[in-house]
Amino acid sequence: MTQSTPAPTDRTETDATDGRALVELENVNKHFGSFQALKDINLTIPVGQVAIVLGPSGSGKSTLCRTINRLETIDDGGTIRIDGKPLPAEGKGLATLRADVGMVFQSFNLFAHKSVLENVTLGPIKVKGVKKSHAEDEAMTLLERVGVAEQAKKMPAQLSGGQQQRVAIARALAMKPKVMLFDEPTSALDPEMVQEVLDVMAQLAHEGMTMVVVTHEMGFARRAGNRVIFMDGGAVLEDTDPETFFNHPEHPRAKDFLGKILTH
């Protein structure tokens, strides 16, 4: 099946992209020993697109997400480019390019021994050499943006799960990334905290942030996404717009997946 870049839908006011490829994966494969987690992935994600990656557990979604900033290496022969530049395997070049790729994990990954404000300012100060006062001003603006500015002096353990995840989003945004990766960002949250995080993500989508979102939140996929990439067995089986995917899935595996998900 040819994996093309679908035309954006009218999900949000800023869905129109400028057509420039921001994330490109060519012939990407990933083995863990004899197990092949990714199989010949070819994807192009243009600036401003919100790509939702769906699929059953073990389908390769998180591995795909983690390869985009080289948290997982890929097999020889494949290529990943960020804004036209190949992702280096290691070294300073990787650190520089990785700064363009923000990542939000399932489990927050905040530094427990640092305050909320310190968590958000650490990257800009240490990696980009931003002055502390300027980094703190920008961090407070971001914390306000995600609705947790009043928690700035607290330690992560003093926050709810939803608040911690919003801090994690602010921390990623502090590096001024070109693309944001979300690896099931609500899966570790209590149900009542899920929506507050999804609302922040939806606002980012509305503002035109390029996003790759691995999620099980079907409502968010319909509302905020303008592309659905459905995976199973390490391969992309469908790649289309949300309306088509949810209302007229083509692949039998996608039909089965939606049948189970949408009836619960």
Side-chain angles (χ1 to χ4, degrees), residues 180-257:
M180 288 279 285
L181 310 177
F182 294 86
D183 185 10
E184 300 195 24
T186 60
S187 64
L189 300 177
D190 291 335
E192 67 269 21
M193 298 176 186
V194 168
Q195 194 58 49
E196 65 189 55
V197 173
L198 293 179
D199 286 346
V200 170
M201 293 168 60
Q203 183 59 34
L204 289 177
H206 181 75
E207 293 167 2
M209 173 63 75
T210 308
M211 298 164 61
V212 178
V213 184
V214 175
T215 185
H216 290 293
E217 299 294 338
M218 298 299 131
F220 176 83
R222 286 177 182 263
R223 184 174 82 252
N226 44 25
R227 180 181 185 182
V228 170
I229 297 165
F230 176 76
M231 297 184 67
D232 193 31
V236 173
L237 301 184
E238 290 211 27
D239 184 354
T240 187
D241 63 272
E243 182 177 358
T244 299
F245 178 76
F246 284 105
N247 295 324
H248 306 287
E250 293 184 1
H251 198 282
R253 190 67 190 89
K255 293 177 181 178
D256 180 61
F257 173 81

Side-chain angles (χ1 to χ4, degrees), residues 79-123:
T79 303
I80 297 175
R81 288 187 293 272
I82 305 297
D83 207 6
K85 298 178 182 178
L87 200 57
E90 56 185 14
K92 188 175 181 180
L94 176 59
T96 300
L97 208 54
R98 192 178 271 167
D100 289 336
V101 185
M103 180 112 185
V104 178
F105 301 88
Q106 298 179 32
S107 54
F108 324 139
N109 285 12
L110 298 175
F111 294 109
H113 62 291
K114 293 186 179 296
S115 70
V116 164
L117 184 61
E118 289 171 332
N119 265 278
V120 179
T121 59
L122 186 63

Side-chain angles (χ1 to χ4, degrees), residues 139-158:
M140 288 305 299
T141 298
L142 287 171
L143 290 171
E144 183 72 38
R145 183 176 172 186
V146 300
V148 289
E150 71 282 0
Q151 313 293 341
K153 294 183 179 180
K154 292 184 179 180
M155 305 301 281
Q158 295 176 280

